[in-house]
Amino acid sequence: MTTTDTARPAAPPTATPGRRISINPRQSGIYVAFALIVVLFEVLTGGALLEPQNISNIIVQNSYVLILAIGMILVIISGHIDLSAGSVVAMTGAVSAVLMVNLHVPWPLAVLITLVTGAVIGAWQGYWVAYFGIPAFIVTLAGMLAFRALTLTVLGNQGIGPFPDAIRTLSNGFTDGYLGNIGLGPLGGADLVSLIVGVLTVAAIAITQQRKRSARLGYGQDVDPYPVFVAKVAGAAILVLAVVVQLARFKNLPWVLILLAVLVVGYSLVAGRSVFGRHIYAVGGNLQAATLSGVKVKSVAFWIFVNMGVLAALAGIIFAGRLNQAGPTAGVNFELDAIAAAFIGGAAVQGGVGKVVGAITGGLIMAVINNGMSLIGAPSERVMLVKGVVLLAAVAYDIWTKRRGTA
C-alpha cells in the first residue's frame, strides 16, 4: 500500500522582531509627566524657567537631593526605606567641616575620611536591618534622631566654615572655558568644551541604544520599528543638547553635574548589568524566591545601606560646600525629598521595580516644581501642597498600571 506524504514543509516563524511598538506606561509616564510639567512652568513663568542661568541653578541647588535619590532608589528596590539620610547628611557635613576647618586636614584626606564615616554609619544601620532583623523603618528612624543629636553635639548652635576653595568649586563652580566660546547665531556665544561634551554624550546614547536594540534582535525579542527607535533617540538627543547649550551659554558645565553624570552612569551599570544589581531586584521582588535561589539576601541588604551612607556623606560634603559652612539644621527633610524622587521616578511601593534614571527624573520633577513655583511667587505652603499631590498621584499611577497589567 502506498501512502501519500501529506507532510508540509515547516513554515518560517511568523514572529517579526522590529514590527511591534512596545510602550510601558509605568516607565514612559514619568517622562511624559516631566515634559508636561516643564512646559507648564515655562508658560507660567513667561519663559524664565528655561533661561540658561535658571537651568544651572536648578541643577546646582538640587544636586544633593539627586545624589541621595540614587542611593534611595536602590534601598527602595530592595524593599527597604531609609529615614535617616537627612541626618546623616548633616552629621557627615559637620565631620568634614571639623576636619577641614578646625583641624586643617588637607581636603582630599578629609573627604576620604568623611566618606568612610558615611560607610561606617551605613554599616551600623545595615547590620541591624540585615543580620539582626529589625525593620529598616525602625532602624533608620532611630538613626534619624541619633545622628541629628550627634550633629548638634558636634556643632552646637553654630556653623563651621568657610570651606576650602576646592570643595566650594565642586559644589558651586563651573568648568573653565579651555577652548573659548563659539558663536551660535541669535543664541550668542557658548563654551566650546561644553558643546563637545554634549555631542559626545548624544553619540554615546545613540551607540548604547543601537547596541541594546541589536542584542534584543539577536535574541529574537520584540523591538520598536526602526523609525520609532530613531525618533526616541532623537528626542533624547535634542533634550540633552538643549540643556547643554543653555548651560554653555551661561557659565559652562557645573562640576557637580559632571559628578552626577558619573554617578548616574556608574549606578545604572551596577543596577542593570551586574550580578549585585540583579540580586537587589530579586530581593525586592520576591524575598523568599531570592533566598531559595541562593541569593545572599542579608549581604545584599547590608551593602545597600553601606552604599546609602557613602552617598549621604557625599551629599553632605556637597551641601556644606554650597553653603560654605556646616550648620546644625542641614539636611532637614532631605530624606523625604529623596524618597519622593524615587517613588515619583517609578519605584514600586512593594520593591523590586525602579531605575536610577527614573529616580533622577523624579528628583528633577521636584526641583522644577520648587523652582517654578518660586519664580511665580507661590507661598511655601502651596509648594508643599503641590509636591504632596504629585507624590500621591505618582504612587496611585504606579498601582493603577500594575492592576491594569494584571487584569
Side-chain angles (χ1 to χ4, degrees), residues 190-330:
D191 176 51
L192 182 57
V193 171
S194 300
L195 296 178
I196 293 175
V197 170
V199 171
L200 293 177
T201 302
V202 168
I205 292 174
I207 293 172
T208 302
Q209 294 303 314
Q210 178 62 43
R211 293 181 61 182
K212 184 183 296 185
R213 186 177 190 274
S214 300
R216 290 176 64 88
L217 285 173
Y219 286 107
Q221 299 176 352
D222 290 325
V223 297
D224 292 329
Y226 202 73
V228 176
F229 166 77
V230 172
K232 288 184 176 181
V233 174
I238 291 172
L239 176 61
V240 170
L241 286 178
V243 173
V244 170
V245 166
Q246 293 294 76
L247 292 175
R249 292 174 59 204
F250 178 54
K251 287 185 178 179
N252 311 335
L253 296 177
W255 280 110
V256 73
L257 175 61
I258 298 175
L259 174 62
L260 276 170
V262 172
L263 291 175
V264 169
V265 172
Y267 277 92
S268 295
L269 292 176
V270 169
R273 301 289 183 87
S274 70
V275 174
F276 182 70
R278 290 192 289 270
H279 286 176
I280 295 173
Y281 283 97
V283 170
N286 191 321
L287 180 60
Q288 294 181 347
T291 304
L292 294 175
S293 299
V295 176
K296 298 179 180 180
V297 296
K298 293 182 179 180
S299 177
V300 170
F302 175 81
W303 287 109
I304 283 294
F305 280 95
V306 171
N307 175 74
M308 187 71 231
V310 172
L311 289 179
L314 179 59
I317 296 172
I318 296 297
F319 184 72
R322 190 174 76 84
L323 297 182
N324 203 21
Q325 72 169 2
T329 60

